[in-house]
Amino acid sequence: MQSLFELSKKKKKNVVGLMSGTSLDGVDVALIEIEGNGVNTKVDLVGFLEYPFPDGLKEAILNNSRKESSNVEEICRLNFLIPRIYTEGINKLCNELNIMFSDIDLIGSHGQTIHHLPASINFYGEKISSTLQIGDPSVLAKLTDTITVGDFRTGDIALGGQGAPLVPYFDYILFKSPDKNRALLNIGGISNFTILNKNYDQEKVLAFDTGPGNMIIDFLVKKYFDKNFDDEGAIAATGNFNEDVFNAMVEKDSFIKQHPPKSTGRELYGSEFIEPLLEQFADVDKKDWMHTATKFTAYAVYKNYKLFIKDETVIDELIVSGGGANNKFLLACLNGYFGNDVAIKIIDEIGISADAKEAICFAVLANETISGNTTNIPRTTGAIRSTILGKICLP
């Protein structure tokens, strides 16, 4: 406990952030130097890498994310396997940067979500909502001999929140502008954005999931072209728009029109969403599917903005991060919806790596946890109050 107290008082810290998301390809590992905390936080990215999962692990995680194919023994083992892979990723980054593992002060880990059930139901006489991230932070702390903070979502869920999104606090302390209304759009497997009104304080920050990000696009490109992603959106760009498919996707997707606070995941936008449509429109060209699904992803973002944001905050800038920031066709679709009055930028242009942003976020959130700062935003998550997030695990 003394080491935790001393760490919380340290002026500058070397902190590793870990993020493995719905793409299931591996873990993003970022090492940052953090000075201060709260609104005085300053970050400097020291190094970043994407450490791949071993062959077959993606399928194992997918299988254990579905109730019809999950296996409690595999979930138990995966919970201990994933921290070992995280540790390997941190080791590789340290070797590339020529630094000692012992120079790392703190680790912040999102973990790997295998199920997210934020809507409460009656369960044995109680109203229960829940979420499950595996890759236990206590195991990671022991393997790395480093104080680790993880399981950030559970505290907010316990207080009636959605447990997501977690990025808005990070967005607020690093990206709020005094003269521009900004939307920070992260396009991972799921898309979410944070609205930063130049006149609003932290309590009024609004953020939520908008719908699919890369998830449907990645499913299609794997099924039809045996690729893990559509590089720069090149395949989608060569296809044509299919109005019937687009309208069917809009009609099927009730989440887009759901009022925030809201969050979603593979439970909604996985194979169960897209496969019935593929059967219904089996004669549609593969590239047309890619084109239309990419445009639908951009539409979901814009429709949420139009329904839930525009009347309160007219944005000047849309700043994009995540893997989707590399999809030029998707960015062009966003530009088509938002028009010339909204400047669309990649987050690299304002000083943070688009690929590394979420990993950096969890390093910052870990620093906030040990500093005793609340990091959920009840307006965003629906929790009954602000709270400190994460479990602190000692070596």
Side-chain angles (χ1 to χ4, degrees):
M1 292 300 294
Q2 183 64 28
S3 62
L4 178 61
F5 177 77
E6 292 173 356
L7 177 60
S8 68
K9 301 301 180 185
K10 195 171 182 180
K11 185 177 180 181
K12 290 184 179 180
K13 309 177 190 74
N14 290 323
V15 187
V16 166
L18 302 170
M19 175 65 190
S20 52
T22 49
S23 67
L24 303 175
D25 293 323
V27 56
D28 293 341
V29 186
L31 174 62
I32 64 173
E33 183 183 79
I34 298 182
E35 181 177 356
N37 62 82
V39 294
N40 298 314
T41 300
K42 296 179 181 178
V43 303
D44 181 29
L45 179 62
V46 179
F48 171 76
L49 62 78
E50 299 174 25
Y51 190 76
F53 283 161
D55 290 346
L57 183 57
K58 177 176 182 176
E59 290 71 23
I61 295 171
L62 276 174
N63 286 338
N64 285 286
S65 299
R66 306 185 187 106
K67 61 182 180 180
E68 64 272 13
S69 57
S70 60
N71 180 301
V72 67
E73 288 187 358
E74 286 197 11
I75 292 172
C76 191
R77 292 188 177 108
L78 287 169
N79 192 37
F80 277 68
L81 170 65
I82 288 173
R84 292 184 179 274
I85 296 168
Y86 290 174
T87 302
E88 292 170 4
I90 299 171
N91 267 318
K92 183 176 181 182
L93 182 60
C94 287
N95 290 335
E96 289 185 0
L97 298 173
N98 197 28
I99 68 168
M100 300 292 291
F101 207 118
S102 57
D103 291 334
I104 297 171
D105 296 305
L106 178 67
I107 297 171
S109 174
H110 173 270
Q112 180 64 60
T113 301
I114 61 167
H115 226 62
H116 185 63
L117 302 170
S120 64
I121 65 166
N122 285 313
F123 192 66
Y124 292 99
E126 299 286 347
K127 283 280 191 177
I128 297 295
S129 52
S130 59
T131 189
L132 181 60
Q133 285 73 47
I134 58 174
D136 195 287
S138 182
V139 177
L140 185 59
K142 302 303 180 184
L143 292 175
T144 61
D145 196 31
T146 305
I147 294 171
T148 299
V149 184
D151 280 346
F152 291 93
R153 298 189 186 277
T154 53
D156 186 79
I157 291 256
L159 294 174
Q162 294 274 314
L166 296 174
V167 176
Y169 177 87
F170 169 81
D171 287 338
Y172 176 79
I173 64 175
L174 263 69
F175 302 116
K176 187 175 186 293
S177 167
D179 52 16
K180 292 181 180 179
N181 293 330
R182 285 175 163 172
L184 278 290
L185 172 65
N186 182 72
I187 308 174
I190 299 296
S191 293
N192 59 75
F193 57 19
T194 304
I195 309 303
L196 300 176
N197 189 305
K198 62 186 178 183
N199 298 317
Y200 287 178
D201 57 18
Q202 177 184 326
E203 287 70 26
K204 287 191 174 181
V205 171
L206 182 60
F208 52 90
D209 289 350
T210 63
N214 301 312
M215 188 173 291
I216 296 175
I217 298 168
D218 288 351
F219 179 92
L220 292 170
V221 79
K222 183 66 175 179
K223 178 179 180 67
Y224 286 142
F225 301 95
D226 197 27
K227 296 178 181 293
N228 291 325
F229 59 93
D230 185 6
D231 191 13
E232 297 188 347
I235 297 173
T238 60
N240 296 305
F241 179 68
N242 187 300
E243 186 173 1
D244 291 337
V245 169
F246 181 85
N247 289 338
M249 295 179 82
V250 171
E251 183 178 354
K252 185 179 179 67
D253 192 336
S254 60
F255 182 81
I256 292 175
K257 296 180 181 179
Q258 181 181 324
H259 200 282
K262 60 179 179 175
S263 62
T264 189
R266 190 169 298 279
E267 296 76 28
L268 180 57
Y269 292 108
S271 58
E272 294 83 355
F273 180 89
I274 194 65
E275 284 181 340
L277 294 172
L278 294 177
E279 293 179 8
Q280 182 180 351
F281 298 98
D283 58 340
V284 172
D285 182 83
K286 298 174 183 177
K287 292 182 179 180
D288 294 353
W289 260 111
M290 293 294 299
H291 181 107
T292 305
T294 303
K295 192 161 188 177
F296 172 72
T297 299
Y299 163 83
V301 174
Y302 178 73
K303 188 68 174 179
N304 274 273
Y305 168 67
K306 188 176 178 181
L307 288 173
F308 307 120
I309 303 301
K310 195 172 182 180
D311 287 347
E312 179 177 291
T313 301
V314 177
I315 63 171
D316 303 304
E317 294 180 338
L318 181 70
I319 300 169
V320 186
S321 62
N326 301 313
N327 188 322
K328 293 180 179 179
F329 181 66
L330 178 54
L331 295 179
C333 291
L334 287 167
N335 188 65
Y337 280 115
F338 282 92
N340 295 328
D341 293 335
V342 177
I344 296 180
K345 300 179 178 180
I346 305 300
I347 202 168
D348 301 66
E349 297 175 39
I350 57 173
I352 293 287
S353 163
D355 293 331
K357 182 196 172 188
E358 285 194 292
I360 295 171
C361 170
F362 286 98
V364 170
L365 289 179
N367 184 59
E368 295 300 290
T369 299
I370 67 166
S371 300
N373 296 331
T374 61
T375 51
N376 68 327
I377 299 177
R379 187 190 184 203
T380 286
T381 67
I384 59 174
R385 61 176 171 85
S386 299
T387 191
I388 299 170
L389 298 179
K391 300 172 184 174
I392 300 174
C393 302
L394 303 179

